[in-house]
């Protein structure tokens, strides 16, 4: 009998994480895998385009749980996912990252007595006001198999009382996708990218992403930040693929936008990769980009007060700016003067994390017999 795995994805960063896993699992006869797309992200540029770029097959189930408040979204995903679990009876539900879909599906699985594996387990920002921190803590509190990207994840889980034999330091599946994307870019005609007309005329530029509720949901915070980003854009052209949450809020708050910031719609995985890997620096509040920039040695200035990915600071190119935006201007100057922080690539961020995960899953199920 084959082991039946469910792989859960709902948001943009999830698609990048499940893609290498799906490819690796499909090489193994012992598993049947069903892909469940919760529909948390639903715009073409936020979801479907990633399926094309990363060659992800169409989902086996689409839960269409778009929109609503966080709790409405979680509740919708839970009730729809429960029905799928009851029908399909998976042996293991694999969740990735820290989004609402991760939390909702892990709770459902455990309530039905199904085992849960969490990819990217153990990360902690220690900031419980972050929706993702709640998702991480609750998911890890009911996870059976913890797949860990960096040593801090291992230490956090030990401190929380998890048994060592459920913890697996495997590296970072996001970096598996990054390597896949780099190879694909080599063979592509880049002139088809919308952003190519900007970057081909620019000697240097920076990339910006912004979507955390702590940065974009409050009018004063967002307008202050956009003011400083306007100042940055006078030093270096700033290309800003804008997230739907941020776009809605800029409009709602009537915030004036600096002329030098180049706004573009959300980009496909490959187009965005091509954009940021050619940039002088990335300014971001994303978690994944802190890791990706570290993997390629691109300077990263994180527009948050903390990071759940401390290895990107201790070993990588990341600097956490916090709310001290004068520091932001100073660090931008340093990078432009060629004095950027140099980093190294963390252990196991080598493009083989999903291979390690699948080997471990095979071992686990071989033992169970
Ligand atoms: C979610 C994750 C966040 C992750 C981010 C990646 C949670 C709590 N947050 O944040 O951890 O870093 O995804 O992008 O799970 N919207 C659209 N079209 C879409 C998707 C969203 O218009 O395709 C709108 C939604 O209607 C909502 C807003 O954007 O108004 C936020 O979407 P949501 O999925 O709730 O959270 P994100 O901010 O995207």
């Amino acid at each position: 009998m084959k082991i039946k795995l469910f792989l859960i994805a709902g948001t943009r960063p999830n698609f990048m994480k499940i893609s290498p896993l799906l490819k690796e699992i499909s090489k193994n006869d012992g598993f049947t895998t069903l892909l469940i797309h919760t529909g948390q992200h639903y715009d073409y540029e936020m979801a479907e385009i990633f399926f094309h770029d990363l060659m992800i097959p169409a989902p086996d189930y689409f839960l269409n749980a778009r929109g609503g408040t966080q709790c409405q979204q979680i509740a919708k995903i839970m009730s729809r996912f429960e029905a799928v679990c009851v029908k399909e009876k998976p042996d293991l539900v694999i969740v990735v990252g820290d989004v609402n879909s991760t939390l909702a599906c892990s709770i459902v699985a455990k309530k039905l007595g199904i085992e849960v594996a969490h990819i990217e387990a153990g990360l902690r920002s220690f900031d419980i006001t972050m929706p993702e921190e709640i998702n991480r803590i609750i998911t890890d509190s009911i996870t059976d198999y913890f797949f860990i990207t960096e040593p801090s994840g291992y230490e956090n889980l030990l401190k929380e009382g998890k048994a060592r034999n459920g913890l697996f330091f495997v590296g970072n599946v996001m970096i598996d996708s990054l390597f896949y994307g780099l190879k694909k870019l080599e063979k592509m005609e880049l002139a088809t990218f919308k952003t190519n007309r900007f970057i081909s005329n620019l000697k240097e530029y920076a990339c910006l992403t912004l979507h955390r509720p702590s940065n974009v949901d409050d009018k004063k915070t967002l307008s202050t930040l956009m003011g400083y980003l306007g100042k940055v854009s006078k030093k270096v052209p700033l290309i800003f693929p804008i997230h739907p949450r941020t776009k809605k809020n800029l409009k709602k708050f009537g915030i004036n936008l600096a002329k030098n910031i180049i706004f573009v719609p959300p980009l496909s995985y490959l187009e965005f990769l091509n954009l940021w890997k050619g940039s002088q620096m990335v300014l971001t509040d994303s978690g994944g980009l802190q890791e990706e920039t570290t993997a390629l040695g691109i300077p990263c200035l994180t527009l948050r007060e903390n990071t759940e990915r401390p290895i990107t600071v201790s070993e990588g190119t990341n600097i956490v700016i916090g709310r001290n935006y004068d520091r932001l201007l100073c660090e931008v100057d340093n990078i432009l003067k060629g004095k950027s922080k140099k980093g190294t690539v963390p252990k196991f961020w080598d493009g083989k994390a999903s291979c390690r995960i699948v080997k471990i899953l095979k071992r686990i199920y071989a033992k169970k017999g």
Side-chain angles (χ1 to χ4, degrees), residues 5-11 14-15 18 34-40 61-65 70-86 90-119 134-136 138-144:
L5 307 177
F6 269 14
L7 208 45
I8 311 299
T11 67
N14 294 165
F15 305 131
I18 55 118
L34 298 189
L35 175 59
I36 320 293
H37 179 356
T38 65
Q40 181 176 341
Y61 286 92
F62 178 62
L63 306 183
N64 200 18
Q70 285 204 59
C71 290
Q72 287 165 343
Q73 192 177 65
I74 291 168
K76 237 185 282 178
I77 298 171
M78 284 180 70
S79 64
R80 292 174 193 180
F81 183 57
E82 184 183 43
V84 179
C85 285
V86 168
D91 297 292
L92 179 71
V93 170
I94 304 177
V95 295
V96 296
D98 54 17
V99 302
N100 288 340
S101 303
T102 314
L103 170 73
C105 294
S106 52
I107 293 177
V108 169
K110 287 315 285 182
K111 288 279 181 192
L112 295 172
I114 302 163
E115 289 195 310
V116 172
H118 183 200
I119 314 281
I134 301 169
N135 296 344
R136 292 180 201 115
I138 299 177
T139 302
D140 283 341
S141 72
I142 53 177
T143 286
D144 299 279

Side-chain angles (χ1 to χ4, degrees), residues 229-237 260:
L229 291 167
K231 290 183 190 177
V232 171
S233 73
K234 288 184 184 154
K235 297 173 185 285
V236 59
N260 300 329

Side-chain angles (χ1 to χ4, degrees), residues 51-312:
F51 282 73
H52 296 301
D53 270 6
L54 297 168
M55 308 266 286
I56 304 172
D60 298 281
Y61 286 92
F62 178 62
L63 306 183
N64 200 18
R66 64 165 65 189
T69 63
Q70 285 204 59
C71 290
Q72 287 165 343
Q73 192 177 65
I74 291 168
K76 237 185 282 178
I77 298 171
M78 284 180 70
S79 64
R80 292 174 193 180
F81 183 57
E82 184 183 43
V84 179
C85 285
V86 168
K87 180 172 166 220
E88 295 285 353
K89 300 186 176 43
D91 297 292
L92 179 71
V93 170
I94 304 177
V95 295
V96 296
D98 54 17
V99 302
N100 288 340
S101 303
T102 314
L103 170 73
C105 294
S106 52
I107 293 177
V108 169
K110 287 315 285 182
K111 288 279 181 192
L112 295 172
I114 302 163
E115 289 195 310
V116 172
H118 183 200
I119 314 281
E120 211 182 83
L123 296 180
R124 298 287 180 270
S125 66
F126 303 102
D127 173 4
I128 200 68
T129 64
M130 238 185 135
E132 294 80 2
E133 184 73 353
I134 301 169
N135 296 344
R136 292 180 201 115
I137 291 172
I138 299 177
T139 302
D140 283 341
S141 72
I142 53 177
T143 286
D144 299 279
Y145 308 112
F146 301 85
F147 292 99
I148 298 164
T149 53
E150 61 164 280
S152 76
Y154 204 93
E155 287 152 25
N156 293 332
L157 291 166
L158 283 183
K159 278 186 206 145
E160 290 172 19
K162 305 296 175 212
R164 266 175 213 277
N165 62 2
L167 310 186
F168 307 100
F169 175 35
V170 289
N172 197 326
V173 287
M174 192 88 160
I175 307 306
D176 296 7
S177 273
L178 176 64
F179 287 178
Y180 173 83
L182 289 173
K183 263 201 204 133
K184 239 184 139 185
L185 275 181
E186 278 171 18
K187 296 180 205 133
M188 280 179 79
E189 185 46 74
L190 303 183
T192 56
F193 288 154
K194 296 182 279 279
T195 46
N196 227 41
R197 69 191 158 98
F198 306 122
I199 57 179
S200 52
N201 292 324
L202 295 172
K203 218 170 95 231
E204 48 187 25
Y205 62 91
C207 279
L208 167 67
T209 80
L210 212 56
H211 75 286
R212 294 276 163 213
S214 60
N215 277 330
V216 308
D217 281 5
D218 173 67
K219 182 175 177 179
K220 191 160 170 263
T221 308
L222 183 58
S223 72
T224 306
L225 184 51
M226 289 313 295
Y228 274 92
L229 291 167
K231 290 183 190 177
V232 171
S233 73
K234 288 184 184 154
K235 297 173 185 285
V236 59
L238 200 49
I239 304 181
F240 184 14
I242 190 160
H243 186 283
R245 174 191 282 276
T246 313
K247 188 175 173 189
K248 280 182 196 170
N249 288 345
L250 284 172
K251 196 168 165 210
K252 183 167 94 187
F253 301 146
I255 292 173
N256 287 331
L257 304 173
K259 281 192 221 78
N260 300 329
I261 301 180
I262 303 165
F263 289 85
V264 293
L267 300 175
S268 73
Y269 179 71
L270 293 172
E271 176 156 9
F272 186 53
L273 170 57
N274 184 56
L275 182 71
W276 69 259
K277 86 175 174 57
S279 71
Q280 261 51 52
M281 71 191 88
V282 170
L283 281 59
T284 190
D285 60 8
S286 144
L289 253 181
Q290 295 172 50
E291 299 181 329
E292 293 171 310
T293 45
T294 273
L296 294 194
I298 306 284
C300 178
L301 302 177
T302 294
L303 302 169
R304 283 175 44 190
E305 293 186 274
N306 48 53
T307 179
E308 60 288 337
R309 292 156 161 93
I311 203 162
T312 61

